[in-house]
Amino acid sequence: METVMHTATAKRVRSVRPVGTRAVLAELDGLQDVLALQDMLNKSPLQGQVDVLAAAETVMVVGESAAATRAIGTRLLELEITAPEVTDSGLVVIETVYDGDDLADVAELTGLSVDGVIAAHTGQIWTVAFAGFAPGFGYMVGENEALTVPRRSSPRTAVPAGSVALGGQYSAVYPRSSPGGWQLIGRTGARMWDLDRAQPALVRPGDRVHYKAVREVVTAGAHSAGNTSAGDSQAGDSDKERHTESGLRILNPGPQSLVQDLGRRGFGPLGVSAAGALDRASLRRANRLVGNALSAAAIESVNGGLTVEAIGDQVIAVAGAPTTLTIESPSWVDSEGSDDDGYVQPGSQRTVPMAAPFALLDGEVLTVGAPESGFRNYVAIRGGVDAPEVLGSRSADTMSGIGPAPLVVGQELPAGEDTASTAVGSPELQPDFPGLPGHGVTVLDVVPGPRADWFDQEALDSLCGQDWLVTPQSNRVGMRLDGTPLRRTREGELPSEGTMAGALQIPPAGLPVLFLADHPITGGYPVIGVVRDEHLDLAAQVPIGGRIRFRLVPDAPDFTTTFTKTPEN
């Protein structure tokens, strides 16, 4: 079982819980303590600290390694938390037209008149407690609870961008059109998320906000290229129109192909997950083979079907799921000599090996076949894919809509200059990959907690005692699993708290969701365990219809995070 050590009552941090091997969850006595600890960690980061994710009653701290995370957990228990200095600097004013669809319902729920709701909303200062749900979506808490209302029983499928809303004790502004279940009381023209700004989020954790009632919304400028999202088809259209002198042309993207690198770190407080390649080892391997920096951007494709044409002569390597790689040479290729002399014959077809560098000459077409095992492939081009960087990464984030759009037919990807050496790497051995549906079970190691205490031993035994089926509803956000549901032993819901890739979240129906790279940064369902970071690459290669078995590793010294503290008298 997980280890939870409690501090003395004089300390603000009540307890620290391990979140897998790379994060810890500090539990506090209230939102003011959350804000205070968040402020301290942002101003004076602990050694090895990578990210800080505040939530309703907790602060999750992500470490750069398992050893650093253990040290961070110990240090958190020793901190004397002091309240942050409150000033009027940085007060954000959000002009709001109060004509929301749920304004009258909120008046009825609170016992106020419509004017009373408006007065209560504008008559207090709101503090951004934490971010989540979407980039730029800040959970703001007020100075009183006069406007505490339940979320809608039936969420809307689409809430317009700029909607001002209430949910529970919080107020927020929807930064983009998205589903949502909060009560809508107004609208604003303020751009809550704008990648053209030095600070993309209009409000960040710790900021203070004043809503100002106005009669008319002043709309921000038109959508800019810097705000192109992964869900915006205009991104693909723009790339199609760009002429590329050296790179790859997409002839068939297959089921889904995305530009991915190793992701963006440190933007959790803005509501942005790391994203990046799901099988990081395969991306690194493909990049090594063509002489790139390990973090260079490449193409991530699923289940085969990707077809690309070389624009200019290129050096390519494909790693990940074993498959057949076929190259067709156009009939117009200038060829001299014969096959015995090592030249490419016009109109010929050949195969090339996985996990080895090869030349793809101008006009030649590479097709990635269906996997023989595994699920994802990584196609690296020497120099990397030169897609625009967003927050320091070229990765597409399907959850937040940040980064390049999914690849489309006719799109051209220019080759960059992200090389690490002049020599192309030698062929490499690949690991074993999960079998296709009906062929074997993939075993993943799981560290219990942070909310294993929401379940009894029977549920933990059931988690590890059955094979879980990967359903077609799975994606880069998370793998949805089917099997015998797990029963909670606690009633009610868990206040939102930080989460991470590898978390096994258990919704009320009892069927686990294994969070992957594009996961939301906060969640309100208990996490029974976290897949070991070293096994996430393996998890990413389990195909739809594949089966997973979990194995608890609570006693493994390399994976179990424990904290000790001598109680004070």
Side-chain angles (χ1 to χ4, degrees), residues 270-332:
L270 302 184
V272 179
S273 65
L278 294 190
D279 183 352
R280 299 157 296 181
S282 289
L283 173 73
R284 293 188 182 103
R285 183 175 302 111
N287 276 326
R288 271 197 303 269
L289 289 165
V290 296
N292 286 346
L294 297 184
S295 58
I299 300 174
E300 176 185 270
S301 65
V302 297
N303 212 28
L306 173 67
T307 303
V308 298
E309 177 185 0
I311 305 172
D313 295 347
Q314 306 299 336
V315 177
I316 305 291
V318 182
T323 186
T324 300
L325 305 177
T326 304
I327 295 177
E328 293 186 12
S329 301
S331 58
W332 50 262

Short mmCIF file of all heavy atoms in Angstrom, two decimals, residues 270-332:
data_model
loop_
_atom_site.label_atom_id
_atom_site.label_comp_id
_atom_site.label_asym_id
_atom_site.label_seq_id
_atom_site.Cartn_x
_atom_site.Cartn_y
_atom_site.Cartn_z
N LEU A 270 -0.37 26.77 -16.21
CA LEU A 270 -1.18 27.46 -17.22
C LEU A 270 -2.26 26.54 -17.78
O LEU A 270 -3.01 26.94 -18.68
CB LEU A 270 -0.29 27.96 -18.36
CG LEU A 270 0.84 28.92 -17.99
CD1 LEU A 270 1.55 29.40 -19.23
CD2 LEU A 270 0.29 30.11 -17.20
N GLY A 271 -2.33 25.31 -17.30
CA GLY A 271 -3.32 24.37 -17.81
C GLY A 271 -2.83 23.58 -19.00
O GLY A 271 -3.64 23.00 -19.72
N VAL A 272 -1.53 23.54 -19.23
CA VAL A 272 -0.96 22.89 -20.41
C VAL A 272 -0.18 21.65 -19.99
O VAL A 272 0.76 21.74 -19.21
CB VAL A 272 -0.03 23.86 -21.18
CG1 VAL A 272 0.56 23.17 -22.39
CG2 VAL A 272 -0.80 25.10 -21.60
N SER A 273 -0.56 20.49 -20.53
CA SER A 273 0.16 19.26 -20.22
C SER A 273 1.43 19.17 -21.06
O SER A 273 1.64 19.95 -21.99
CB SER A 273 -0.74 18.04 -20.48
OG SER A 273 -1.05 17.93 -21.85
N ALA A 274 2.25 18.18 -20.76
CA ALA A 274 3.54 18.06 -21.45
C ALA A 274 3.37 17.65 -22.90
O ALA A 274 4.14 18.06 -23.77
CB ALA A 274 4.43 17.04 -20.73
N ALA A 275 2.36 16.82 -23.22
CA ALA A 275 2.18 16.27 -24.56
C ALA A 275 3.46 15.55 -24.98
O ALA A 275 4.15 14.98 -24.16
CB ALA A 275 1.75 17.36 -25.54
N GLY A 276 3.80 15.59 -26.28
CA GLY A 276 5.00 14.92 -26.76
C GLY A 276 4.74 13.48 -27.16
O GLY A 276 3.64 12.95 -27.03
N ALA A 277 5.78 12.84 -27.69
CA ALA A 277 5.68 11.46 -28.15
C ALA A 277 5.22 10.54 -27.02
O ALA A 277 5.71 10.64 -25.89
CB ALA A 277 7.02 10.99 -28.69
N LEU A 278 4.30 9.63 -27.34
CA LEU A 278 3.84 8.69 -26.32
C LEU A 278 4.91 7.62 -26.06
O LEU A 278 5.09 7.20 -24.92
CB LEU A 278 2.54 8.03 -26.76
CG LEU A 278 1.31 8.94 -26.86
CD1 LEU A 278 0.05 8.11 -27.06
CD2 LEU A 278 1.16 9.81 -25.61
N ASP A 279 5.59 7.16 -27.10
CA ASP A 279 6.71 6.24 -26.94
C ASP A 279 7.99 7.03 -27.11
O ASP A 279 8.53 7.17 -28.21
CB ASP A 279 6.60 5.11 -27.97
CG ASP A 279 7.71 4.07 -27.82
OD1 ASP A 279 8.64 4.29 -27.01
OD2 ASP A 279 7.65 3.05 -28.52
N ARG A 280 8.47 7.57 -26.00
CA ARG A 280 9.63 8.46 -26.05
C ARG A 280 10.90 7.74 -26.48
O ARG A 280 11.73 8.29 -27.20
CB ARG A 280 9.82 9.10 -24.68
CG ARG A 280 8.63 9.94 -24.23
CD ARG A 280 8.59 10.10 -22.71
NE ARG A 280 8.41 8.81 -22.06
CZ ARG A 280 8.33 8.65 -20.74
NH1 ARG A 280 8.42 9.70 -19.94
NH2 ARG A 280 8.16 7.44 -20.22
N ALA A 281 11.04 6.47 -26.07
CA ALA A 281 12.24 5.72 -26.43
C ALA A 281 12.33 5.52 -27.94
O ALA A 281 13.41 5.61 -28.53
CB ALA A 281 12.24 4.37 -25.72
N SER A 282 11.19 5.26 -28.59
CA SER A 282 11.21 5.06 -30.04
C SER A 282 11.52 6.36 -30.77
O SER A 282 12.22 6.36 -31.80
CB SER A 282 9.87 4.49 -30.51
OG SER A 282 9.71 3.14 -30.09
N LEU A 283 11.00 7.48 -30.27
CA LEU A 283 11.34 8.77 -30.88
C LEU A 283 12.84 9.03 -30.77
O LEU A 283 13.49 9.43 -31.74
CB LEU A 283 10.55 9.89 -30.22
CG LEU A 283 10.94 11.31 -30.67
CD1 LEU A 283 10.45 11.57 -32.08
CD2 LEU A 283 10.42 12.37 -29.71
N ARG A 284 13.39 8.82 -29.59
CA ARG A 284 14.83 9.03 -29.40
C ARG A 284 15.64 8.12 -30.33
O ARG A 284 16.65 8.53 -30.90
CB ARG A 284 15.21 8.78 -27.94
CG ARG A 284 14.65 9.78 -26.95
CD ARG A 284 15.25 9.55 -25.57
NE ARG A 284 14.70 10.43 -24.57
CZ ARG A 284 13.79 10.07 -23.67
NH1 ARG A 284 13.31 8.82 -23.67
NH2 ARG A 284 13.34 10.93 -22.78
N ARG A 285 15.20 6.86 -30.46
CA ARG A 285 15.93 5.91 -31.29
C ARG A 285 15.93 6.36 -32.75
O ARG A 285 16.98 6.35 -33.41
CB ARG A 285 15.28 4.53 -31.16
CG ARG A 285 15.99 3.42 -31.94
CD ARG A 285 15.38 2.06 -31.67
NE ARG A 285 15.43 1.74 -30.26
CZ ARG A 285 14.36 1.67 -29.48
NH1 ARG A 285 13.15 1.90 -29.97
NH2 ARG A 285 14.48 1.39 -28.20
N ALA A 286 14.78 6.78 -33.26
CA ALA A 286 14.70 7.24 -34.65
C ALA A 286 15.59 8.45 -34.86
O ALA A 286 16.28 8.57 -35.89
CB ALA A 286 13.25 7.55 -35.00
N ASN A 287 15.59 9.36 -33.89
CA ASN A 287 16.44 10.56 -34.02
C ASN A 287 17.92 10.22 -33.97
O ASN A 287 18.73 10.79 -34.72
CB ASN A 287 16.08 11.57 -32.93
CG ASN A 287 14.90 12.44 -33.30
OD1 ASN A 287 14.73 12.79 -34.46
ND2 ASN A 287 14.09 12.81 -32.31
N ARG A 288 18.31 9.31 -33.10
CA ARG A 288 19.73 8.90 -33.03
C ARG A 288 20.19 8.35 -34.39
O ARG A 288 21.30 8.63 -34.84
CB ARG A 288 19.93 7.83 -31.96
CG ARG A 288 20.24 8.36 -30.58
CD ARG A 288 20.83 7.29 -29.69
NE ARG A 288 19.96 6.13 -29.57
CZ ARG A 288 19.03 5.98 -28.63
NH1 ARG A 288 18.83 6.93 -27.74
NH2 ARG A 288 18.30 4.88 -28.59
N LEU A 289 19.33 7.57 -35.00
CA LEU A 289 19.71 6.89 -36.24
C LEU A 289 20.01 7.86 -37.38
O LEU A 289 20.84 7.56 -38.24
CB LEU A 289 18.59 5.92 -36.65
CG LEU A 289 18.45 4.68 -35.76
CD1 LEU A 289 17.14 3.99 -36.01
CD2 LEU A 289 19.61 3.72 -35.99
N VAL A 290 19.33 9.00 -37.41
CA VAL A 290 19.58 9.97 -38.49
C VAL A 290 20.50 11.10 -38.04
O VAL A 290 20.69 12.07 -38.77
CB VAL A 290 18.25 10.53 -39.04
CG1 VAL A 290 17.42 9.43 -39.67
CG2 VAL A 290 17.45 11.26 -37.95
N GLY A 291 21.05 10.99 -36.83
CA GLY A 291 22.00 11.99 -36.36
C GLY A 291 21.37 13.25 -35.81
O GLY A 291 22.02 14.30 -35.74
N ASN A 292 20.10 13.16 -35.41
CA ASN A 292 19.41 14.33 -34.84
C ASN A 292 19.65 14.46 -33.35
O ASN A 292 20.04 13.50 -32.67
CB ASN A 292 17.90 14.22 -35.06
CG ASN A 292 17.49 14.48 -36.48
OD1 ASN A 292 18.26 14.99 -37.28
ND2 ASN A 292 16.26 14.11 -36.82
N ALA A 293 19.34 15.65 -32.83
CA ALA A 293 19.19 15.80 -31.39
C ALA A 293 18.04 14.90 -30.94
O ALA A 293 17.07 14.69 -31.69
CB ALA A 293 18.89 17.25 -31.03
N LEU A 294 18.14 14.33 -29.76
CA LEU A 294 17.13 13.36 -29.31
C LEU A 294 15.74 13.96 -29.22
O LEU A 294 14.74 13.25 -29.34
CB LEU A 294 17.54 12.77 -27.96
CG LEU A 294 18.84 11.97 -27.95
CD1 LEU A 294 19.08 11.37 -26.57
CD2 LEU A 294 18.83 10.88 -29.02
N SER A 295 15.67 15.27 -29.03
CA SER A 295 14.37 15.94 -28.87
C SER A 295 13.81 16.47 -30.18
O SER A 295 12.78 17.15 -30.18
CB SER A 295 14.49 17.09 -27.87
OG SER A 295 15.46 18.02 -28.31
N ALA A 296 14.46 16.20 -31.31
CA ALA A 296 13.98 16.72 -32.59
C ALA A 296 12.58 16.21 -32.89
O ALA A 296 12.19 15.11 -32.49
CB ALA A 296 14.94 16.32 -33.71
N ALA A 297 11.81 17.01 -33.61
CA ALA A 297 10.43 16.64 -33.96
C ALA A 297 10.41 15.61 -35.08
O ALA A 297 11.23 15.65 -36.01
CB ALA A 297 9.64 17.88 -34.37
N ALA A 298 9.49 14.67 -34.99
CA ALA A 298 9.31 13.62 -35.98
C ALA A 298 7.81 13.40 -36.18
O ALA A 298 6.98 14.09 -35.59
CB ALA A 298 10.00 12.34 -35.53
N ILE A 299 7.48 12.43 -37.02
CA ILE A 299 6.07 12.09 -37.26
C ILE A 299 5.71 10.88 -36.40
O ILE A 299 6.39 9.84 -36.46
CB ILE A 299 5.81 11.76 -38.73
CG1 ILE A 299 6.16 12.95 -39.63
CG2 ILE A 299 4.35 11.37 -38.95
CD1 ILE A 299 6.07 12.65 -41.12
N GLU A 300 4.66 11.00 -35.61
CA GLU A 300 4.10 9.87 -34.87
C GLU A 300 2.87 9.39 -35.62
O GLU A 300 1.94 10.17 -35.86
CB GLU A 300 3.73 10.28 -33.44
CG GLU A 300 3.06 9.18 -32.64
CD GLU A 300 2.60 9.65 -31.28
OE1 GLU A 300 3.37 9.57 -30.32
OE2 GLU A 300 1.44 10.13 -31.18
N SER A 301 2.85 8.13 -36.01
CA SER A 301 1.68 7.58 -36.72
C SER A 301 1.18 6.34 -35.99
O SER A 301 1.94 5.68 -35.26
CB SER A 301 2.04 7.23 -38.17
OG SER A 301 2.99 6.19 -38.22
N VAL A 302 -0.08 6.02 -36.19
CA VAL A 302 -0.68 4.87 -35.52
C VAL A 302 -1.20 3.87 -36.54
O VAL A 302 -1.79 4.24 -37.55
CB VAL A 302 -1.82 5.30 -34.56
CG1 VAL A 302 -1.31 6.19 -33.46
CG2 VAL A 302 -2.94 5.99 -35.32
N ASN A 303 -0.94 2.59 -36.25
CA ASN A 303 -1.57 1.48 -36.97
C ASN A 303 -1.27 1.46 -38.47
O ASN A 303 -2.07 0.96 -39.25
CB ASN A 303 -3.09 1.49 -36.73
CG ASN A 303 -3.66 0.09 -36.74
OD1 ASN A 303 -2.96 -0.87 -36.42
ND2 ASN A 303 -4.92 -0.04 -37.13
N GLY A 304 -0.15 2.03 -38.89
CA GLY A 304 0.25 1.95 -40.29
C GLY A 304 -0.55 2.86 -41.20
O GLY A 304 -1.42 3.62 -40.77
N GLY A 305 -0.21 2.81 -42.50
CA GLY A 305 -0.95 3.59 -43.50
C GLY A 305 -0.31 4.90 -43.88
O GLY A 305 -0.73 5.53 -44.86
N LEU A 306 0.70 5.36 -43.14
CA LEU A 306 1.34 6.62 -43.46
C LEU A 306 2.15 6.47 -44.76
O LEU A 306 2.93 5.54 -44.90
CB LEU A 306 2.26 7.05 -42.32
CG LEU A 306 3.15 8.29 -42.59
CD1 LEU A 306 2.30 9.54 -42.72
CD2 LEU A 306 4.20 8.44 -41.48
N THR A 307 1.97 7.41 -45.68
CA THR A 307 2.73 7.44 -46.93
C THR A 307 3.26 8.83 -47.14
O THR A 307 2.51 9.81 -47.11
CB THR A 307 1.85 7.03 -48.13
OG1 THR A 307 1.29 5.73 -47.89
CG2 THR A 307 2.66 7.00 -49.41
N VAL A 308 4.58 8.95 -47.35
CA VAL A 308 5.22 10.25 -47.53
C VAL A 308 6.11 10.23 -48.77
O VAL A 308 6.66 9.18 -49.15
CB VAL A 308 6.06 10.65 -46.29
CG1 VAL A 308 5.18 10.78 -45.07
CG2 VAL A 308 7.19 9.65 -46.05
N GLU A 309 6.27 11.38 -49.40
CA GLU A 309 7.12 11.54 -50.56
C GLU A 309 8.27 12.48 -50.22
O GLU A 309 8.07 13.52 -49.58
CB GLU A 309 6.32 12.12 -51.74
CG GLU A 309 7.14 12.38 -52.99
CD GLU A 309 6.34 13.06 -54.07
OE1 GLU A 309 5.14 13.34 -53.85
OE2 GLU A 309 6.92 13.35 -55.15
N ALA A 310 9.47 12.12 -50.65
CA ALA A 310 10.64 12.96 -50.38
C ALA A 310 10.64 14.18 -51.29
O ALA A 310 10.42 14.07 -52.49
CB ALA A 310 11.92 12.16 -50.57
N ILE A 311 10.88 15.35 -50.68
CA ILE A 311 11.13 16.58 -51.43
C ILE A 311 12.61 16.87 -51.28
O ILE A 311 13.08 17.31 -50.22
CB ILE A 311 10.28 17.75 -50.88
CG1 ILE A 311 8.79 17.39 -50.86
CG2 ILE A 311 10.51 19.01 -51.69
CD1 ILE A 311 7.92 18.42 -50.16
N GLY A 312 13.38 16.55 -52.32
CA GLY A 312 14.82 16.55 -52.19
C GLY A 312 15.28 15.25 -51.58
O GLY A 312 14.48 14.47 -51.04
N ASP A 313 16.57 14.97 -51.63
CA ASP A 313 17.11 13.73 -51.06
C ASP A 313 17.14 13.84 -49.53
O ASP A 313 17.63 14.83 -48.98
CB ASP A 313 18.53 13.47 -51.58
CG ASP A 313 18.56 13.22 -53.08
OD1 ASP A 313 17.47 13.01 -53.66
OD2 ASP A 313 19.66 13.25 -53.67
N GLN A 314 16.63 12.79 -48.85
CA GLN A 314 16.52 12.82 -47.40
C GLN A 314 17.13 11.56 -46.78
O GLN A 314 17.25 10.52 -47.44
CB GLN A 314 15.05 12.93 -46.98
CG GLN A 314 14.29 14.08 -47.60
CD GLN A 314 14.87 15.44 -47.25
OE1 GLN A 314 15.54 15.60 -46.22
NE2 GLN A 314 14.63 16.43 -48.10
N VAL A 315 17.49 11.67 -45.50
CA VAL A 315 17.89 10.52 -44.70
C VAL A 315 16.79 10.30 -43.66
O VAL A 315 16.43 11.22 -42.92
CB VAL A 315 19.25 10.75 -44.00
CG1 VAL A 315 19.60 9.55 -43.12
CG2 VAL A 315 20.33 10.99 -45.03
N ILE A 316 16.27 9.08 -43.65
CA ILE A 316 15.09 8.74 -42.85
C ILE A 316 15.40 7.54 -41.97
O ILE A 316 16.22 6.69 -42.32
CB ILE A 316 13.89 8.39 -43.77
CG1 ILE A 316 13.60 9.54 -44.75
CG2 ILE A 316 12.64 8.05 -42.96
CD1 ILE A 316 13.07 10.79 -44.12
N ALA A 317 14.71 7.45 -40.82
CA ALA A 317 14.70 6.23 -40.02
C ALA A 317 13.32 6.09 -39.40
O ALA A 317 12.68 7.09 -39.05
CB ALA A 317 15.77 6.27 -38.93
N VAL A 318 12.87 4.85 -39.29
CA VAL A 318 11.57 4.57 -38.69
C VAL A 318 11.78 3.62 -37.52
O VAL A 318 12.38 2.55 -37.68
CB VAL A 318 10.60 3.94 -39.72
CG1 VAL A 318 9.23 3.70 -39.06
CG2 VAL A 318 10.44 4.84 -40.94
N ALA A 319 11.30 4.01 -36.36
CA ALA A 319 11.38 3.18 -35.16
C ALA A 319 9.97 2.97 -34.62
O ALA A 319 9.00 3.54 -35.11
CB ALA A 319 12.28 3.83 -34.12
N GLY A 320 9.88 2.15 -33.58
CA GLY A 320 8.57 1.85 -33.01
C GLY A 320 8.07 0.50 -33.47
O GLY A 320 8.85 -0.43 -33.69
N ALA A 321 6.76 0.38 -33.63
CA ALA A 321 6.13 -0.90 -33.94
C ALA A 321 6.74 -1.55 -35.19
O ALA A 321 6.82 -0.91 -36.24
CB ALA A 321 4.63 -0.69 -34.15
N PRO A 322 7.19 -2.80 -35.10
CA PRO A 322 7.78 -3.47 -36.26
C PRO A 322 6.78 -3.57 -37.40
O PRO A 322 5.61 -3.92 -37.20
CB PRO A 322 8.13 -4.87 -35.72
CG PRO A 322 8.19 -4.71 -34.23
CD PRO A 322 7.20 -3.64 -33.90
N THR A 323 7.22 -3.24 -38.60
CA THR A 323 6.33 -3.26 -39.76
C THR A 323 7.17 -3.33 -41.03
O THR A 323 8.40 -3.28 -40.98
CB THR A 323 5.45 -2.00 -39.78
OG1 THR A 323 4.50 -2.10 -40.83
CG2 THR A 323 6.27 -0.74 -39.98
N THR A 324 6.50 -3.43 -42.16
CA THR A 324 7.19 -3.44 -43.45
C THR A 324 7.26 -2.02 -43.99
O THR A 324 6.24 -1.31 -44.05
CB THR A 324 6.44 -4.33 -44.46
OG1 THR A 324 6.39 -5.67 -43.96
CG2 THR A 324 7.15 -4.32 -45.81
N LEU A 325 8.46 -1.59 -44.37
CA LEU A 325 8.69 -0.27 -44.93
C LEU A 325 8.99 -0.43 -46.42
O LEU A 325 9.99 -1.05 -46.79
CB LEU A 325 9.85 0.42 -44.23
CG LEU A 325 9.75 0.55 -42.71
CD1 LEU A 325 11.02 1.19 -42.14
CD2 LEU A 325 8.52 1.36 -42.32
N THR A 326 8.11 0.12 -47.24
CA THR A 326 8.22 -0.05 -48.69
C THR A 326 8.54 1.29 -49.34
O THR A 326 7.91 2.31 -49.01
CB THR A 326 6.92 -0.61 -49.27
OG1 THR A 326 6.60 -1.83 -48.60
CG2 THR A 326 7.07 -0.89 -50.76
N ILE A 327 9.49 1.29 -50.27
CA ILE A 327 9.85 2.50 -51.02
C ILE A 327 9.60 2.26 -52.50
O ILE A 327 10.05 1.25 -53.06
CB ILE A 327 11.32 2.89 -50.79
CG1 ILE A 327 11.56 3.27 -49.33
CG2 ILE A 327 11.72 4.06 -51.71
CD1 ILE A 327 13.00 3.60 -49.01
N GLU A 328 8.87 3.17 -53.12
CA GLU A 328 8.65 3.13 -54.55
C GLU A 328 9.39 4.30 -55.20
O GLU A 328 9.29 5.44 -54.74
CB GLU A 328 7.15 3.23 -54.87
CG GLU A 328 6.35 2.02 -54.41
CD GLU A 328 4.91 2.08 -54.87
OE1 GLU A 328 4.60 2.94 -55.73
OE2 GLU A 328 4.10 1.27 -54.38
N SER A 329 10.11 3.99 -56.27
CA SER A 329 10.86 5.02 -56.99
C SER A 329 10.05 5.46 -58.20
O SER A 329 9.50 4.62 -58.93
CB SER A 329 12.21 4.48 -57.46
OG SER A 329 12.98 4.06 -56.36
N PRO A 330 9.94 6.77 -58.45
CA PRO A 330 9.18 7.25 -59.60
C PRO A 330 9.87 6.87 -60.91
O PRO A 330 11.09 6.66 -60.95
CB PRO A 330 9.15 8.76 -59.40
CG PRO A 330 10.36 9.05 -58.58
CD PRO A 330 10.53 7.87 -57.67
N SER A 331 9.10 6.78 -61.95
CA SER A 331 9.64 6.35 -63.24
C SER A 331 10.63 7.34 -63.82
O SER A 331 11.46 7.00 -64.66
CB SER A 331 8.50 6.13 -64.24
OG SER A 331 7.75 7.33 -64.40
N TRP A 332 10.60 8.60 -63.32
CA TRP A 332 11.49 9.61 -63.89
C TRP A 332 12.83 9.73 -63.17
O TRP A 332 13.66 10.57 -63.51
CB TRP A 332 10.80 10.98 -63.90
CG TRP A 332 10.20 11.38 -62.58
CD1 TRP A 332 8.89 11.25 -62.22
CD2 TRP A 332 10.86 11.96 -61.45
NE1 TRP A 332 8.68 11.70 -60.94
CE2 TRP A 332 9.88 12.16 -60.45
CE3 TRP A 332 12.18 12.33 -61.19
CZ2 TRP A 332 10.18 12.70 -59.20
CZ3 TRP A 332 12.48 12.88 -59.96
CH2 TRP A 332 11.49 13.04 -58.97
#
